[in-house]
Amino acid sequence: MKKIRNILLKHKYFFSLLIFSISISLFLLLTMRVESDYFWHIKAGEYMFKNGILRKDVFSWILNGKYWMSHEWLFEVIIYVFKLLFGNYHMLIYGGICLVSLFLILFLGNKKNYLKNIPFTLLWFVLSFILVAFVQVRPHLISFCFVATTIYFLYDLYKDENSKKIYFLPIISILWSNLHGGSSNLSYLFCLVFLIGGLFSFNFSKIEAVRISRKQIIKYFVIMLLCMIGVCINIHGVKMFIYPYSNMLDNLMINSITEWQSTSLNNSQHYMYFALVIVVVFVMLFSKKKILFIDFILLGISVFLGLKSIRFWGYTYVIMSFVIFNYIEKRKYDSGTVLCINVISLISILFFVFNFSAVVNRFNNRLIDQEIISIIKEEKPSKLFNMYNYGGELVYNDILVFVDGRADLYSKYNYLDYLNISTLNDDYVKLISKYNFDYFLVDSNYPINTYLKYDTKYEEIISIDGVILYKKND
């Protein structure tokens, strides 16, 4: 007992920050919410658990049987198994595992730097609340963990040519391509970034490039090739290698899906991202140290991606967690630091415990009232028009949809028509006639509702909380 006590006292700052990182992840977990995509994910997992891997659509009436790039199939099966094992708690358990793992990777992979200036470390933990937007039951949380692990291993080799951690990256790329294939290309792209960043040796103003050894170059190159092969080891084969790039070239999807849209100063909700970037740039510019070329490249890439698309905000925070502390000066420990950290940790954990049940109850909230779902099932529409964000819940309830959260599937076929119909653009009357919808499930705030409301060909069946079901008259 005395030995354990001595170890705790000797490493008190380490253990305090370790507990603090876990408490922050639990605090973030309280913000977890369920969005429409969760429902079709869990349904896809259920289908595959019972029937085998999905390669064709089975959830829509319009594209039934068409090829579907189920690039998150393993995540979907896992989350369904979690639901079988843990019931309504499966969401919190999944989120808890991902968030705690992420913060442990960030802290343990960079612990010496985190410990050298605790006030800044605490500030950096506060900035982690930029992740709030992504605390959902989706595979993005797994990708954050993979990005953190990838950057950690690549930096480890950059600092030590004999590092062996990088040998695990090909395995990670295989898991990544099956759990969240749309982001799995980052495994080999980051290898390429470190390889290029280490090929140069120069001093230019505040930027310094240090050429890495031949041994390091060979390791980066070989691991990059193995990661490229790893990405192709999945149920879709080489198609997964191409998939992320085709997605990023899909302007229709990028311009219409919220999480793909660019970061803007006109949106106050985006200010936290700008605050994160300003802190990073300020610290690096005013540091006494030279800015390493590899750090400069990583900053440029992560900020570019974050400005290009909201969905990359979390990646900026994760990547910069391994960069920013290199430019922070060591600071003496203040008296009472451990006590202060432990008190905050305790408050965060207690807050989590007392609000745990409220978060679980939040998972029972639905966008579509169950009464509407019941009526749709009774009516048995064959050609239902539905709003994009209603699709997930309809799929979850075994109702065939016109669109749902799989925009990458619909964008090649009917997604543009959906946008034009819902907003009454282009020749929407002709489009409605083209699909010959028999029922419409619409949002009262969309122009399509106004059209249906005043057209005698359609009859309102039920309206609850802005969700309205119309039927086409015979």
Side-chain angles (χ1 to χ4, degrees):
M1 195 70 183
K2 186 177 180 181
K3 187 177 181 181
I4 295 174
R5 184 172 178 273
N6 289 335
I7 292 173
L8 291 174
L9 288 173
K10 183 179 179 181
H11 302 286
K12 60 183 179 181
Y13 293 102
F14 168 80
F15 286 112
S16 291
L17 278 181
L18 179 64
I19 294 170
F20 183 78
S21 65
I22 294 172
S23 72
I24 287 293
S25 64
L26 293 177
F27 193 87
L28 277 173
L29 188 58
L30 291 177
T31 68
M32 176 165 272
R33 63 193 186 278
V34 178
E35 296 203 349
S36 180
D37 281 356
Y38 160 77
F39 295 101
W40 67 259
H41 276 309
I42 198 79
K43 199 65 182 179
E46 178 185 4
Y47 184 96
M48 288 186 277
F49 184 80
K50 295 177 179 178
N51 304 291
I53 304 301
L54 270 173
R55 293 183 180 85
K56 294 182 179 180
D57 173 57
V58 295
F59 300 130
S60 75
W61 61 266
I62 187 72
L63 298 181
N64 202 284
K66 293 286 187 182
Y67 177 75
W68 173 41
M69 189 75 173
S70 49
H71 66 104
E72 299 155 327
W73 76 271
L74 185 55
F75 157 76
E76 289 155 355
V77 172
I78 289 173
I79 202 65
Y80 176 69
V81 172
F82 269 40
K83 185 182 179 184
L84 288 179
L85 295 174
F86 307 114
N88 278 346
Y89 295 101
H90 73 282
M91 302 179 183
L92 276 174
I93 291 172
Y94 166 74
I97 290 172
C98 290
L99 287 173
V100 170
S101 298
L102 173 61
F103 278 86
L104 287 179
I105 294 167
L106 295 180
F107 176 65
L108 296 176
N110 208 12
K111 56 183 180 293
K112 288 183 180 179
N113 280 330
Y114 271 60
L115 287 166
K116 71 181 182 182
N117 192 318
I118 290 180
F120 182 81
T121 298
L122 296 180
L123 169 64
W124 191 251
F125 274 123
V126 170
L127 288 172
S128 71
F129 280 83
I130 197 170
L131 298 172
V132 166
F134 309 98
V135 183
Q136 305 170 29
V137 192
R138 296 180 66 188
H140 298 75
L141 291 181
I142 298 175
S143 279
F144 290 152
C145 295
F146 283 150
V147 168
T149 306
T150 300
I151 297 297
Y152 169 41
F153 289 170
L154 291 171
Y155 258 121
D156 200 64
L157 176 60
Y158 189 82
K159 296 169 185 175
D160 176 13
E161 66 174 15
N162 295 313
S163 174
K164 296 179 180 178
K165 295 184 180 71
I166 195 171
Y167 296 143
F168 290 100
L169 282 189
I171 299 173
I172 288 175
S173 71
I174 295 172
L175 290 172
W176 206 342
S177 69
N178 288 278
L179 286 161
H180 192 198
S183 298
S184 59
N185 57 333
L186 293 175
S187 61
Y188 63 83
L189 288 177
F190 280 127
C191 288
L192 179 61
V193 168
F194 274 80
L195 177 60
I196 293 174
L199 291 177
F200 302 93
S201 178
F202 64 81
N203 270 290
F204 178 75
S205 185
K206 194 173 172 60
I207 300 175
E208 179 183 32
V210 179
R211 183 178 174 82
I212 57 177
S213 68
R214 184 172 179 271
K215 186 175 182 180
Q216 288 167 305
I217 291 173
I218 292 173
K219 280 188 176 182
Y220 279 132
F221 183 73
V222 171
I223 295 300
M224 179 183 71
L225 293 180
L226 291 175
C227 285
M228 293 172 77
I229 294 171
V231 168
C232 299
I233 302 176
N234 61 83
I235 62 171
H236 299 285
V238 180
K239 290 180 180 178
M240 190 64 73
F241 191 89
I242 303 167
Y243 173 77
Y245 302 106
S246 61
N247 256 8
M248 294 186 73
L249 294 174
D250 191 332
N251 291 325
L252 175 62
M253 188 170 66
I254 289 173
N255 293 329
S256 60
I257 306 299
T258 302
E259 69 177 40
W260 278 99
Q261 291 176 6
S262 59
T263 307
S264 172
L265 280 170
N266 295 323
N267 191 331
S268 60
Q269 294 179 348
H270 296 185
Y271 288 175
M272 190 166 185
Y273 181 76
F274 288 108
L276 172 68
V277 173
I278 289 170
V279 168
V280 172
V281 172
F282 182 88
V283 168
M284 292 178 75
L285 282 179
F286 290 95
S287 170
K288 295 177 182 178
K289 297 181 180 180
K290 289 269 193 176
I291 299 174
L292 284 176
F293 185 50
I294 183 62
D295 292 345
F296 179 75
I297 294 175
L298 287 172
L299 171 64
I301 291 173
S302 57
V303 172
F304 169 76
L305 290 174
L307 292 175
K308 181 178 176 61
S309 176
I310 296 170
R311 74 195 315 263
F312 293 117
W313 287 2
Y315 294 154
T316 301
Y317 178 81
V318 170
I319 295 168
M320 289 300 103
S321 294
F322 291 95
V323 172
I324 192 65
F325 288 92
N326 295 324
Y327 303 92
I328 298 295
E329 295 296 324
K330 191 172 182 178
R331 190 178 188 278
K332 290 183 178 180
Y333 296 129
D334 299 314
S335 60
T337 297
V338 170
L339 177 61
C340 179
I341 294 173
N342 290 342
V343 168
I344 297 173
S345 298
L346 179 61
I347 292 172
S348 297
I349 292 171
L350 288 175
F351 192 79
F352 172 77
V353 171
F354 288 128
N355 289 275
F356 182 83
S357 58
V359 179
V360 174
N361 291 334
R362 191 191 306 155
F363 296 149
N364 295 320
N365 295 333
R366 296 288 185 270
L367 192 60
I368 307 173
D369 190 273
Q370 190 57 43
E371 186 178 353
I372 295 178
I373 295 293
S374 298
I375 291 174
I376 294 174
K377 285 190 169 185
E378 289 174 8
E379 296 286 328
K380 297 180 181 179
S382 60
K383 295 183 178 181
L384 173 70
F385 174 89
N386 61 277
M387 305 305 295
Y388 178 83
N389 57 331
Y390 296 167
E393 288 188 42
L394 294 173
V395 168
Y396 185 76
N397 285 280
D398 299 311
I399 298 170
L400 295 177
V401 299
F402 183 60
V403 290
D404 56 63
R406 300 170 297 161
D408 53 335
L409 168 65
Y410 296 103
S411 65
K412 298 187 289 289
Y413 300 100
N414 62 320
Y415 188 62
L416 179 59
D417 289 346
Y418 158 76
L419 292 174
N420 286 329
I421 292 170
S422 60
T423 56
L424 303 187
N425 283 325
D426 201 21
D427 194 348
Y428 62 90
V429 176
K430 186 177 180 180
L431 289 174
I432 291 173
S433 177
K434 169 186 172 182
Y435 292 105
N436 193 27
F437 302 109
D438 51 359
Y439 287 80
F440 292 78
L441 187 66
V442 300
D443 187 321
S444 61
N445 294 317
Y446 273 71
I448 181 62
N449 177 57
T450 304
Y451 171 78
L452 296 170
K453 185 176 181 180
Y454 293 105
D455 194 313
T456 56
K457 293 196 298 288
Y458 305 99
E459 172 190 355
E460 180 182 314
I461 298 176
I462 187 172
S463 174
I464 300 177
D465 297 330
V467 181
I468 308 174
L469 179 65
Y470 289 94
K471 176 182 180 181
K472 184 179 179 181
N473 293 320
D474 295 331

